[in-house]
Amino acid sequence: MKTLLLIGIGAGNPDYVTMQAVKALNKVDVFFVLDKGEAKDDLVKLRTTICERFITDHAYRIVEAASPVRDAGTPDYKSGVRSWHDEKAAIFSRLIATELKDGEVGGILVWGDPSLYDSTIRVIQQIVAEGKIAFDYEVIPGITSVQALAAQHKIALNAIGEPVHITTGRKLLEGLPQGVDTAVVMLDNGSGLRALADEDVEIYWGAYLGTPDEVLASGKLADQVAEIERMRAEERARKGWIMDTYLLRRTPRQ
Ligand SMILES: C[S@@+](CC[C@H](N)C(=O)[O-])C[C@H]1O[C@@H](n2cnc3c(N)ncnc32)[C@H](O)[C@@H]1O
């Protein structure tokens, strides 16, 4: 039987790699990498660093394939994402069928944790449901950018006994659900930052968390928003891309 390991590698710092992930890395014969052809050299470097640093007693090979690009022009966001997943499923199907021998272990390194805003689990489950290739798979959790943000700001995510809403910048523009005062916002192109700027809200913001480029800011959203926008623009211009996550809280932390 073939086995596929979906390994969460943490969201930026090689020290976020767990012992379970290290054990999993050392079982992998073939790593499947979807090359996004991006200027995000640092993200590629982190994956290489992790393999070189943690794989100590196992020979492995790397098989790359060009990553499909999501058609941002599709009017319906979710159907655009579904077609993108279909394309990824076709690629991984082919790689598992042709590049992984019976008895071998394949590995996919997933940024942060595979359960959070990542398509890998859904794509692999789609391949399993199609039933054309037989393989087992396992998921190894990783440290998310949300945990990295909370740790760097030394905050608990939830107020005592209260919920936390995890959402995207796009969704935040629709407001927070009734009764929710704390939101963690990911995948924001910057537009979500001002969604609650007129309310009495605190922000805990972090970009490139866990990496040498990490930038943090916190305080009243109304006081911080212009400075965070300035830093976002500056960092994006400097590095060519930005990844940031932030927590917004309506009531003071307890
Ligand atoms: C496609 S999602 C992947 C999330 C990932 N699975 C996780 O567990 O954090 C990408 C988003 O995660 C957040 N993110 C990931 N890594 C980050 C980092 N090192 N610093 C700040 N935000 C990060 C950003 O909001 C980014 O837009």
Side-chain angles (χ1 to χ4, degrees):
M1 188 61 126
K2 302 178 182 189
T3 305
L4 192 62
L5 302 179
L6 315 186
I7 307 172
I9 56 168
N13 186 337
D15 287 349
Y16 291 161
V17 172
T18 67
M19 290 309 296
Q20 188 187 9
V22 171
K23 286 184 192 163
L25 289 165
N26 280 281
K27 289 183 191 155
V28 172
D29 301 298
V30 193
F31 286 98
F32 297 127
V33 178
L34 289 193
D35 177 6
K36 296 184 181 135
E38 292 161 326
K40 297 184 181 180
D41 275 357
D42 307 8
L43 306 192
V44 177
K45 259 189 230 145
L46 179 74
R47 288 184 163 90
T48 313
T49 304
I50 284 174
C51 287
E52 288 173 1
R53 178 161 149 192
F54 295 111
I55 302 178
T56 49
D57 59 358
H58 198 73
Y60 60 90
R61 52 194 198 277
I62 296 176
V63 175
E64 292 184 22
S67 179
V69 179
R70 182 169 67 80
D71 181 0
T74 311
D76 175 19
Y77 174 75
K78 286 195 178 167
S79 79
V81 171
R82 273 193 291 272
S83 342
W84 183 45
H85 288 180
D86 288 347
E87 285 179 64
K88 280 193 183 180
I91 293 169
F92 278 128
S93 259
R94 179 176 56 76
L95 294 177
I96 297 165
T98 60
E99 301 286 348
L100 194 62
K101 298 188 197 95
D102 200 28
E104 278 193 328
V105 178
I108 300 176
L109 302 185
V110 180
W111 191 262
D113 182 75
S115 70
L116 193 62
Y117 289 115
D118 187 274
S119 61
T120 314
I121 293 178
R122 263 185 283 268
V123 166
I124 297 307
Q125 287 176 342
Q126 185 172 330
I127 300 172
V128 170
E130 284 163 5
K132 292 182 197 150
I133 320 168
F135 65 97
D136 288 330
Y137 71 99
E138 284 173 40
V139 177
I140 287 90
I143 302 235
T144 70
S145 48
V146 178
Q147 292 164 291
L149 177 80
Q152 295 306 76
H153 281 290
K154 305 186 178 86
I155 53 169
L157 289 177
N158 61 291
I160 296 171
E162 295 297 330
V164 178
H165 184 64
I166 301 182
T167 190
T168 63
R170 174 196 300 256
K171 279 286 191 187
L172 187 68
L173 296 174
E174 298 167 14
L176 288 182
Q178 192 72 24
V180 172
D181 290 319
T182 303
V184 175
V185 186
M186 304 173 73
L187 291 163
D188 187 6
N189 61 11
S191 58
L193 268 172
R194 284 193 180 261
L196 304 183
D198 295 336
E199 300 184 34
D200 190 12
V201 163
E202 286 180 327
I203 185 166
Y204 296 87
W205 177 81
Y208 316 109
L209 290 157
T211 76
D213 294 306
E214 181 176 276
V215 200
L216 302 172
S218 63
K220 289 274 175 211
L221 176 60
D223 299 340
Q224 294 291 322
V225 68
E227 176 61 5
I228 291 174
E229 284 173 340
R230 190 197 62 73
M231 286 192 280
R232 276 191 111 254
E234 187 178 292
E235 291 298 321
R236 185 191 278 278
R238 184 174 70 85
K239 284 181 73 76
W241 56 278
I242 188 159
M243 264 201 313
D244 62 342
T245 299
Y246 52 95
L247 180 140
L248 298 174
R249 191 173 340 262
R250 269 205 190 107
T251 48
R253 199 151 42 103
Q254 294 179 34

